[in-house]
Amino acid sequence: MLTVHHLNNSRSQRVLWLLEELGVDYEIVRYQRQPDMRAPKELRDIHPLGKSPVITDNGNTIAESGAVCEYIIGTYGNGRLIPPPNTPERLRYTYWLHYAEGSAMSPLLLKLLFTLMPKRTPALLRPLVRKVSNQALTTLVNPQLKQHMDYWEAELGKSEWFAGSEFTGADIQMSFPLEAAAARAGLEQGHPSAMAFLERIHSRPAYARALEKGGPYVIGR
């Protein structure tokens, strides 16, 4: 049986959601974040990098969200959650599936990093670190985030879902960047189509079932 090595409050929540959408039987092995928010060392016994999501299935160990999504849909989807080959929708699907981690998450991670740095710096250095962090956020990170959020808004203004008129695995992949942007980057300001996308995914029964099985997921709710 497929096993999800699930780190609480992490990207692996998307894997549970995908499996619920497809109705695939699976089991969960749970891992709790350490006080510093890192994954526990036990995950390195599954994959050398000790990151989540990771799944094991039929002797295979698959890491990286996009690769996991492709594997599950290719192995268990039977044509579901993926547009037909050689269509514009399939091209969009492939793009958004990889854009989610390849481009969208970088400025969001920088936003988190530069926001946390002053809080975790010794008091004597805190004013300097706060000044540097604020400068980086103002001149580099926030403008990039606005560009990405405006891009999502424009694309979701063209179609209900990222790959077209049908819900696909690309929407599951893109859920994490949009949820992160809503939590820490002000997505709700001037991006009604993107916020409507979040409302649609949060209302899906499979999303709710995945939350019940995965446990607390602060970034998404």
Side-chain angles (χ1 to χ4, degrees), residues 158-177:
K158 299 175 185 177
S159 59
E160 185 175 15
W161 303 106
F162 275 101
S165 61
E166 300 293 328
F167 175 80
T168 70
D171 299 297
I172 295 176
Q173 272 291 92
M174 283 299 297
S175 66
F176 196 88

Side-chain angles (χ1 to χ4, degrees), residues 120-186:
R120 300 187 177 184
T121 300
L124 187 63
L125 297 175
R126 198 166 296 152
L128 175 61
V129 173
R130 182 179 293 113
K131 181 177 180 180
V132 172
S133 295
N134 288 341
Q135 182 72 9
L137 287 169
T138 300
T139 62
L140 174 65
V141 179
N142 290 339
Q144 283 190 31
L145 276 174
K146 184 179 186 306
Q147 185 177 26
H148 281 278
M149 292 189 293
D150 290 349
Y151 178 40
W152 307 337
E153 181 69 16
E155 291 299 306
L156 288 170
K158 299 175 185 177
S159 59
E160 185 175 15
W161 303 106
F162 275 101
S165 61
E166 300 293 328
F167 175 80
T168 70
D171 299 297
I172 295 176
Q173 272 291 92
M174 283 299 297
S175 66
F176 196 88
L178 268 71
E179 288 178 332
R184 68 176 76 121

Side-chain angles (χ1 to χ4, degrees), residues 43-185:
L43 263 177
R44 289 199 296 272
D45 295 335
I46 309 302
H47 187 277
L49 295 181
K51 301 290 185 180
S52 184
V54 178
I55 65 169
T56 51
D57 187 43
N58 293 323
N60 300 307
T61 300
I62 303 103
E64 293 294 337
S65 298
V68 170
C69 186
E70 285 194 277
Y71 174 83
I72 291 173
I73 290 176
T75 305
Y76 297 102
N78 295 317
R80 294 172 293 168
L81 299 185
I82 184 170
N86 302 316
T87 62
E89 290 78 12
R90 181 63 164 266
L91 186 60
R92 290 180 66 184
Y93 164 88
T94 302
Y95 170 77
W96 291 110
L97 192 73
H98 296 284
Y99 162 92
E101 292 292 333
S103 294
M105 284 307 300
S106 296
L108 286 161
L109 289 172
L110 287 173
K111 176 82 169 180
L112 179 62
L113 174 65
F114 284 118
T115 301
L116 290 177
M117 278 175 58
K119 301 176 184 178
R120 300 187 177 184
T121 300
L124 187 63
L125 297 175
R126 198 166 296 152
L128 175 61
V129 173
R130 182 179 293 113
K131 181 177 180 180
V132 172
S133 295
N134 288 341
Q135 182 72 9
L137 287 169
T138 300
T139 62
L140 174 65
V141 179
N142 290 339
Q144 283 190 31
L145 276 174
K146 184 179 186 306
Q147 185 177 26
H148 281 278
M149 292 189 293
D150 290 349
Y151 178 40
W152 307 337
E153 181 69 16
E155 291 299 306
L156 288 170
K158 299 175 185 177
S159 59
E160 185 175 15
W161 303 106
F162 275 101
S165 61
E166 300 293 328
F167 175 80
T168 70
D171 299 297
I172 295 176
Q173 272 291 92
M174 283 299 297
S175 66
F176 196 88
L178 268 71
E179 288 178 332
R184 68 176 76 121

Side-chain angles (χ1 to χ4, degrees), residues 13-25:
Q13 185 64 39
R14 288 183 297 192
V15 178
L16 303 182
W17 176 22
L18 173 59
L19 292 166
E20 290 294 330
E21 289 281 357
L22 293 174
V24 178
D25 290 332

